[in-house]
Amino acid sequence: PGAVQDQLSLSPLSDNAMDGGAQQSSLQEPPGPGTVEQEGVPSEWDGAEGPPEVKRSQPLYIHGCSRQLQEEEPRASSLPSIPNPFPELCSPSNSPILSSPALGQGPPREGISHVVKVFGEDGACRSLEASAGTTARQLCETLVRRTRALQDHSWALVELHQHLALERCLEDHESVVEVQSSWLPGADSRFVFRKNFAKYELFKSNATLFPEVMVSSCLEANKSMAHSELIQNFLNSGSCPEVQGFLQLREPGRKVWKRFYFSLRRSGLYYSTKGTSKDPRHLQYFADLTESNIYYVTQGKKHYGTPTEFGFCIKPYKVRSGVKGLKLLCSEDEQSRSCWMAAFRLFKYGMQLYRNYQQAQARLSQPPWIGPTPLRSVSDNALVAMDFSGCTGRVIENPSEVLTVALEEAQAWRKKTSHRYSLPAACQSSPLSAAIHRTQPWFHGRISREDTQQLIGRQGLVDGVFLVRESQRNPKGFVLSLCHLQRVKHYLILPSEEEGRLYFTMDDGQTRFADLIQLVEFHQINRGILPCKLRHYCTCVAL
C-alpha cells in the first residue's frame, strides 16, 4: 500500500485541474492494503462490471498499482522480523512484518554473550557470561579457578530437571548455551556444579562395569574379554558388540510396568515381544540414541512409580517439557543400570568421548602453572626457586630440578612435623587433635546416613569414594562412609583414651591413630580393614 505509481493514464484536463488533482493524489495516503478510496471512485468496486463514470476533474484509477503491490509483497515478507513494540495499535492484517509469529529461544547465535546460571550443591547460584561455543569443560575450569578448588577431571556440569526428577552429566565437548536454549522458559531446569568420579571410569580397568552376561560378544565367544579390548570394540564401528538384558518398561500413557528383553545396537534400542528372542520378527524398535539424551531418574518411585530405585530415562530432543514423550526404563540393580548408561554414552559419542578422556588426562599431567590463566598472583610470579645446600645460594633454572627440590622439601617438612602423629601425652592439648579434622574437605559434620548415601551416589558410585561424618548414634564417635562395588558401607570410628592419651580406632584398638587425618591418610595408602583404599573424597564447594 502506498506504492509509487509508475504508469499514468490521464484524461484531458485543464492545467489548473491537473495540478490540483496531482497535488491531491500525492498528499492523500491509502487507508489500507488492497483499497484505494478517492473522490468519485467507490472503495467496493472490484472491476468486474467495468470502471464507473469518472468526472473530468478526477484522476483515473490506475490498474498498475495492483501489479506493484504483488511485486512488493514478497519483498516485504522476506525482510527480517521486527518485534512489534505496540501490538495493541496494529492488527496482523495491517502489519505483516511486525506481527510475525512469536519465535522461541532457537539456537544460540555466534558472537553474542549469554548469561548462564550455575548452582552449587548448597543451593547457591553464580551467573557467568558465556559465548555460544563455550563447552562444559571450559565452564568447569572457570568455576574451579573462581572457587579455588583443586583442579582435576572429576568436576562436572550436571543438567538437572527438578520437575521431572531427571539429571545427566554434560560431556566435556557439549555447548552449555545450546543445552540451555533447549529448555522451556519457566521450567525448573538448572545447571549444577559438582564432582562426578564415574564420568571416565569406563576407560579405566574396571571389570565390574560390563558384566559378561550383558555383552553379546562375550556370550558368543563363551569366554571373558579384557576390559580394554571390550572398550576398543565399542569404539570400533565395525565390531561393535550388543548390550542386552531385562529391563522394566513403563507403557505410554499408563502407570503399568512390564518386563522386556532389550538389545542395544548401533542402529538403536530394541526390545523383544517374545521372551529373549532376537529374531527380527520379534524385535520392536524403541529409541534412537542419536536424537535423544539419557538421564538418571532421581526419585523414580515418587514421580513415576518405578519398581526399583534404579531408573533411567530416554528423552528425545523434541520433548521439551512434561512427562509425555519420555521413555522410562528401570533396571534390577545399580550394576546393570551403570552398564546400560555407559553403553549409551559409548554408542552415542564414540571416539569423541575417548578424546575427551585423553584431553582430561593431558591437562591433569600438566603442572598447575602451565596454562592460559595461571593461578599464581603477581607477587608469586616475582619469586624464584633457589638452592641453599651449598656454601652460597643459587637460582634453579631447570623446571624439572625445581619440581624435584620441591618434592624433597615437602618430604623433609613432613619428617619435621612427624611428631604430630605420635600419641599426645597427658600434658599435651588433646582438643587440637580432636578437632583438627574439621578443616578437611572430606569431613561433612553432622549429616544423616540417608544424605550421605545420596551425596556419594550423586558424585559417582566408584570404588574408594568416601567421606567422614559425625555419628548420630554415638555422640563422641565418627563414621567413615565408603563406596565399594557400587554400594555405600559405613564404618564406626570410636575415640579412646589410654594412660591419658587420646586415639581413634576402627578395630577395637588394634590399629590406633592420633587423629582422623592420620586415619584417613593411612587408609589412602593401605587398605587395612577396609575392602578398598580411600581414593576420592566427596567435597562440596561454595559458589
Side-chain angles (χ1 to χ4, degrees):
V4 180
Q5 303 172 356
D6 55 350
Q7 298 178 1
L8 296 178
S9 300
L10 300 177
S11 59
L13 300 172
S14 62
D15 295 340
N16 296 336
M18 291 179 62
D19 294 341
Q23 184 178 4
Q24 181 181 3
S25 176
S26 61
L27 294 178
Q28 193 172 5
E29 184 178 354
T35 62
V36 180
E37 290 194 13
Q38 296 174 352
E39 184 179 354
V41 182
S43 59
E44 63 273 8
W45 172 70
D46 55 359
E49 299 178 359
E53 182 180 357
V54 182
K55 298 180 180 180
R56 297 178 58 86
S57 60
Q58 299 298 324
L60 292 175
Y61 179 80
I62 301 175
H63 298 276
C65 180
S66 60
R67 293 194 302 267
Q68 188 74 11
L69 287 174
Q70 293 176 1
E71 294 174 0
E72 289 206 7
E73 282 179 0
R75 185 174 63 181
S77 61
S78 63
L79 294 176
S81 299
I82 304 174
N84 187 2
F86 307 106
E88 67 277 3
L89 298 182
C90 50
S91 61
S93 60
N94 293 333
S95 181
I97 299 178
L98 295 180
S99 61
S100 59
L103 299 177
Q105 288 181 310
R109 292 181 291 177
E110 296 290 341
I112 299 179
S113 297
H114 303 265
V115 177
V116 178
K117 288 186 177 181
V118 182
F119 290 80
E121 291 190 278
D122 57 352
C125 174
R126 170 169 289 193
S127 298
L128 301 174
E129 194 175 21
S131 61
T134 302
T135 62
R137 170 49 48 189
Q138 294 172 346
L139 199 65
C140 286
E141 290 177 351
T142 302
L143 291 171
V144 166
R145 290 194 297 268
R146 294 192 178 184
T147 57
R148 303 181 185 277
L150 183 62
Q151 169 74 324
D152 57 16
H153 59 73
S154 60
W155 289 107
L157 204 62
V158 178
E159 179 188 3
L160 178 61
H161 301 282
Q162 293 183 330
H163 61 294
L164 299 176
L166 303 179
E167 67 175 37
R168 76 177 182 98
C169 176
L170 266 67
E171 304 297 343
D172 287 349
H173 67 278
E174 288 192 76
S175 171
V176 178
V177 178
E178 184 176 351
V179 174
Q180 182 176 259
S181 64
S182 64
W183 298 345
L184 192 68
D188 193 4
S189 304
R190 60 177 60 181
F191 289 122
V192 179
F193 177 64
R194 69 179 184 218
K195 290 273 191 176
N196 183 15
F197 299 105
K199 182 166 60 172
Y200 292 124
E201 196 69 16
L202 70 165
F203 293 115
K204 301 176 183 178
S205 152
N206 190 352
T208 62
L209 186 59
F210 293 100
E212 297 179 5
V213 295
M214 295 184 64
V215 182
S216 61
S217 57
C218 297
L219 294 175
E220 294 172 359
N222 198 16
K223 64 177 182 179
S224 61
M225 185 179 298
H227 183 77
S228 58
E229 182 181 357
L230 184 60
I231 293 297
Q232 186 64 33
N233 290 341
F234 272 112
L235 299 178
N236 187 5
S237 59
S239 61
C240 184
E242 292 184 17
V243 177
Q244 53 198 11
F246 282 100
L247 289 173
Q248 297 277 353
L249 169 63
R250 181 180 176 179
E251 295 186 359
R254 301 179 62 187
K255 295 184 179 181
V256 180
W257 292 79
K258 288 189 177 181
R259 193 167 181 257
F260 291 96
Y261 192 77
F262 280 81
S263 298
L264 180 61
R265 302 178 178 179
R266 181 71 67 181
S267 56
L269 182 64
Y270 302 82
Y271 67 92
S272 176
T273 58
K274 186 177 180 180
T276 59
S277 174
K278 299 172 67 175
D279 191 285
R281 297 174 300 174
H282 304 145
L283 289 181
Q284 182 73 29
Y285 183 77
F286 184 69
D288 182 12
L289 302 183
T290 59
E291 299 295 332
S292 307
N293 283 324
I294 315 299
Y295 293 82
Y296 284 95
V297 179
T298 56
Q299 297 177 356
K301 289 187 176 181
K302 178 180 178 181
H303 286 78
Y304 306 107
T306 56
T308 66
E309 291 290 351
F310 313 108
F312 57 97
C313 172
I314 300 178
K315 182 174 177 290
Y317 292 156
K318 60 182 180 181
V319 178
R320 303 186 63 183
S321 67
V323 182
K324 187 177 181 180
L326 300 181
K327 300 182 179 181
L328 299 167
L329 300 168
C330 187
S331 59
E332 301 295 334
D333 50 27
E334 183 61 39
Q335 183 182 17
S336 60
R337 181 172 73 165
S338 300
C339 177
W340 284 107
M341 299 295 288
F344 284 144
R345 295 174 61 200
L346 287 170
F347 273 95
K348 181 174 182 177
Y349 300 108
M351 285 302 299
Q352 179 63 55
L353 194 64
Y354 185 65
R355 283 193 290 268
N356 294 345
Y357 169 70
Q358 288 181 320
Q359 294 173 3
Q361 292 295 104
R363 286 191 297 266
L364 197 61
S365 62
Q366 291 181 354
W369 60 81
I370 296 181
T373 54
L375 301 180
R376 302 196 305 172
S377 62
V378 178
S379 59
D380 292 336
N381 292 329
L383 302 178
V384 294
M386 296 194 67
D387 179 18
F388 294 98
S389 59
C391 299
T392 59
R394 67 180 181 90
V395 177
I396 305 177
E397 299 180 354
N398 189 357
S400 359
E401 187 179 358
V402 171
L403 185 59
T404 305
V405 172
L407 294 176
E408 293 177 355
E409 186 69 19
Q411 294 294 334
W413 178 263
R414 188 168 183 79
K415 291 179 181 178
K416 292 178 185 179
T417 58
S418 60
H419 66 277
R420 179 171 67 85
Y421 298 101
S422 61
L423 295 179
C427 60
Q428 292 178 330
S429 58
S430 58
L432 177 62
S433 61
I436 194 173
H437 54 269
R438 298 185 179 275
T439 61
Q440 302 303 309
W442 38 258
F443 184 73
H444 289 257
R446 193 172 181 82
I447 63 174
S448 65
R449 185 188 188 102
E450 292 75 16
D451 293 340
T452 299
Q453 296 189 166
Q454 291 179 7
L455 178 60
I456 295 179
R458 288 195 302 264
Q459 298 196 5
L461 293 175
V462 177
D463 289 354
V465 177
F466 74 98
L467 61 84
V468 179
R469 58 186 174 89
E470 295 180 1
S471 175
Q472 291 183 318
R473 298 181 179 180
N474 194 322
K476 297 182 179 180
F478 300 89
V479 177
L480 172 65
S481 300
L482 172 67
C483 178
H484 179 63
L485 297 179
Q486 297 179 337
R487 293 190 177 185
V488 181
K489 302 179 180 180
H490 308 275
Y491 300 88
L492 184 62
I493 306 173
L494 292 175
S496 182
E497 189 173 345
E498 183 179 352
E499 298 180 357
R501 297 180 178 181
L502 180 67
Y503 62 88
F504 297 87
T505 180
M506 289 192 302
D507 52 5
D508 297 331
Q510 296 183 9
T511 309
R512 305 177 182 180
F513 303 95
D515 51 39
L516 295 182
I517 296 180
Q518 186 183 15
L519 183 147
V520 169
E521 291 183 349
F522 172 83
H523 288 94
Q524 286 177 332
I525 303 173
N526 308 279
R527 191 180 70 175
I529 65 170
L530 302 178
C532 62
K533 299 178 184 179
L534 305 182
R535 294 175 53 197
H536 313 291
Y537 57 85
C538 289
T539 181
C540 298
V541 297
L543 296 179

